[in-house]
Amino acid sequence: MSTEKNEAQKYLDMDLLRFTTAGSVDDGKSTLIGRLLYDSKAIFDDQMEKIEESSRKKGDEYTNLALLTDGLSAEREQGITIDVAYRYFSTPNRKFIIADTPGHVQYTRNMVTGASTANLAIILVDARNGVIEQTCRHSFISSLLGIKHVVLCVNKMDLVDYSEERYNEIKQEFKTFSSKLDVPDIHYVPISALYGDNVVDKSDNMPWYGGSTLLYTLENVQVGSDYNHVDSRFPVQWVTRPQSTDYPDYRGYAGQVAGGVFKPGDEVIALPSGFTSKIDKIQTFEQDEEEAFSPMSVTMTLEDDIDISRGDMIAKPDNQPTVGQDIEMMVCWLNKEPLDPNGKYAIKHTTKEARCIVKDVKYKVNINTLHRVEGDKEIGLNDIGRIKIRTTKPLFYDSYKRNRKTGSIILIDEYTNETVGAGMIL
């Protein structure tokens, strides 16, 4: 039993990489994920049998691994990805969560959803077509969402005779475009998802390629430094007061660390009250912790009883977030009804809920050229633009570039309760 426990704990402690796939229609995203799962032996036999049967029914000459991820019946019928599909698998070195996102322009909002929590983006390019509008769109969105690692997979190399020259052309094309983006770490891998070249195993068809396979890159990319361990931020989600005979005076503040490192004995400040205290204990469900850092979920107790409630933030006195009500941000619009230039919306920022009014639409971004469109201020479904809002309560925030958790805002329609916009604070 202890061996099983050790194995389970080893798995839980294993490093996790969240990544998203993006590309144009028919670039082979679903086939690539199917190939990753199949070649890394993350598929059960009965799943494989179903896929083989479905492939035969469709008249495919080969086992269509794309059917592994296209779960909706409409996706299977049309052979396209519509919704964001999440898949989980692991190797001896790392655990993975994959967000398979759609390639169609009209599903840009789905891509934003899938990429918002990702550490890495795989962007697929068809070797025959090279870098196209959708490649630029997905690369820009990845950059906007603060994804620091991108792998450009030049897929369908089998259809260009595994040409080194063609691969180098596409690589250079993407390098020229990506120089305008804020993505510090870009890898390039020539692959054939259909036949498995350079996905999990090295390809014999491309002896000229001296780099790593896709899976090796995913297993070894360093994402630990992507979290902000400098600015200590702890949005309070819940105040724990059991008021039981065992814990008559217990008052704990539960939530997820959004940045920095907290340790017992650290001096902290509670916002918005401005009262200071010291951390008494940091606890998880199982034990007391010596430190807490992002993305750990913990309960903190303080040495003093001070007024703290849900939506407040605990920070360090010498490193506080910006406190303000006038906020400028980039927004990706997710709703069929366009943004109302003077509209009122409910907002959610970390654990805080408030309302806001849109004060100004600065400009819209042409996602394909990255140019600002100053004259056109109508932000509709799948558009991205820069806006200014004023909130009913002060928010405690950092720029999105500095901290993805304290720099993001969700806009909600007050009447329908639908999420209508995803905002990145500038």
Side-chain angles (χ1 to χ4, degrees):
M1 186 66 186
S2 60
T3 313
E4 281 178 26
K5 266 189 176 178
N6 288 343
E7 286 298 316
Q9 193 57 48
K10 198 171 159 187
Y11 178 78
L12 290 170
D13 292 342
M14 203 188 282
D15 194 21
L16 170 70
L17 177 77
R18 295 171 180 267
F19 69 91
T20 180
T21 58
S24 191
V25 183
D26 292 336
D27 276 350
K29 295 180 300 301
S30 299
T31 305
L32 173 63
I33 293 172
R35 173 62 64 187
L36 264 175
L37 295 172
Y38 179 69
D39 283 2
S40 62
K41 301 184 174 45
I43 300 171
F44 294 114
D45 289 343
D46 59 337
Q47 281 179 295
M48 203 58 218
E49 283 166 18
K50 279 186 181 174
I51 298 303
E52 285 167 356
E53 190 185 331
S54 297
S55 301
R56 276 197 301 276
K57 281 181 183 172
K58 286 185 75 180
D60 291 333
E61 293 173 11
Y62 50 86
T63 301
N64 188 349
L65 294 172
L67 297 174
L68 270 170
T69 54
D70 287 340
L72 301 178
S73 56
E75 295 179 330
R76 294 191 175 204
E77 282 166 23
Q78 297 176 54
I80 62 168
T81 304
I82 297 169
D83 200 7
V84 181
Y86 292 95
R87 293 289 175 269
Y88 308 85
F89 78 105
S90 64
T91 66
N93 301 324
R94 204 172 225 170
K95 293 181 293 193
F96 300 94
I97 299 177
I98 315 168
D100 181 21
T101 61
H104 284 66
V105 176
Q106 67 262 39
Y107 300 125
T108 299
R109 60 182 175 165
N110 302 54
M111 193 221 155
V112 170
T113 306
S116 60
T117 55
N119 309 105
L120 177 146
I122 294 177
I123 295 176
L124 269 88
V125 172
D126 187 321
R128 297 166 300 175
N129 304 329
V131 175
I132 57 171
E133 262 187 22
Q134 281 292 78
T135 316
C136 300
R137 174 182 282 262
H138 292 143
S139 306
F140 172 65
I141 291 170
S142 300
S143 167
L144 188 70
L145 288 169
I147 295 175
K148 291 183 165 62
H149 311 276
V150 164
V151 181
L152 186 83
C153 283
V154 182
N155 192 20
K156 306 196 179 182
M157 287 297 291
D158 52 298
L159 299 179
V160 293
D161 298 325
Y162 298 102
S163 163
E164 181 181 6
E165 191 184 339
R166 182 63 185 137
Y167 165 69
N168 286 333
E169 275 174 24
I170 294 169
K171 186 174 172 180
Q172 193 50 53
E173 220 177 315
F174 189 76
K175 273 186 174 176
T176 305
F177 172 77
S178 63
S179 62
K180 305 175 207 165
L181 302 175
D182 185 18
V183 181
D185 183 33
I186 302 178
H187 303 260
Y188 300 87
V189 187
I191 66 167
S192 166
L194 188 61
Y195 298 111
D197 294 280
N198 287 334
V199 179
V200 171
D201 302 311
K202 271 281 201 185
S203 168
D204 295 332
N205 296 310
M206 290 177 271
W208 46 263
Y209 173 67
S212 306
T213 62
L214 175 60
L215 183 63
Y216 183 87
T217 304
L218 295 175
E219 282 184 324
N220 291 281
V221 69
Q222 296 299 314
V223 294
S225 59
D226 295 355
Y227 293 107
N228 183 327
H229 293 310
V230 177
D231 307 314
S232 299
R233 308 283 184 260
F234 185 72
V236 176
Q237 188 169 358
W238 192 255
V239 179
T240 310
R241 296 208 64 203
Q243 293 179 311
S244 62
T245 47
D246 291 340
Y247 301 99
D249 302 314
Y250 184 92
R251 183 193 289 266
Y253 307 105
Q256 186 179 50
V257 180
V261 180
F262 291 93
K263 295 179 181 177
D266 283 355
E267 191 174 350
V268 291
I269 185 167
L271 298 172
S273 68
F275 290 124
T276 57
S277 183
K278 284 187 177 175
I279 297 174
D280 181 31
K281 286 181 182 172
I282 296 173
Q283 298 168 310
T284 57
F285 181 71
E286 294 159 331
Q287 62 195 26
D288 287 3
E289 300 287 341
E290 290 181 14
E291 60 179 17
F293 48 85
S294 182
M296 287 173 68
S297 294
V298 298
T299 298
M300 284 187 198
T301 59
L302 303 182
E303 289 181 0
D304 306 285
D305 273 344
I306 54 180
D307 183 18
I308 299 176
S309 54
R310 177 183 166 85
D312 291 358
M313 186 176 284
I314 295 172
K316 299 281 180 71
D318 56 351
N319 181 347
Q320 296 182 36
T322 306
V323 180
Q325 289 174 263
D326 290 301
I327 292 164
E328 285 202 25
M329 63 184 187
M330 300 300 293
V331 67
C332 178
W333 201 248
L334 312 174
N335 200 260
K336 287 175 184 172
E337 291 295 318
L339 173 91
D340 183 348
N342 299 301
K344 293 176 181 172
Y345 297 95
I347 60 168
K348 196 168 184 312
H349 172 257
T350 63
T351 56
K352 197 177 189 73
E353 292 173 11
R355 296 170 69 227
C356 77
I357 184 166
V358 179
K359 300 290 284 182
D360 189 20
V361 177
K362 299 276 187 185
Y363 57 79
K364 196 157 86 173
V365 177
N366 180 327
I367 302 181
N368 304 314
T369 62
L370 306 190
H371 292 149
R372 297 176 181 183
V373 186
E374 304 277 0
D376 183 2
K377 298 205 173 182
E378 180 171 311
I379 296 181
L381 179 64
N382 296 318
D383 285 339
I384 290 174
R386 179 169 174 164
I387 65 170
K388 186 175 182 180
I389 62 169
R390 182 168 178 81
T391 61
T392 51
K393 300 175 189 170
L395 304 186
F396 320 117
Y397 63 90
D398 301 282
S399 70
Y400 186 85
K401 194 174 177 181
R402 191 163 179 90
N403 189 320
R404 286 169 83 177
K405 289 183 178 171
T406 57
S408 54
I409 291 181
I410 292 171
L411 275 71
I412 300 159
D413 185 298
E414 292 186 280
Y415 303 106
T416 63
N417 217 26
E418 287 180 7
T419 299
V420 292
M424 282 75 62
I425 299 173
L426 296 163

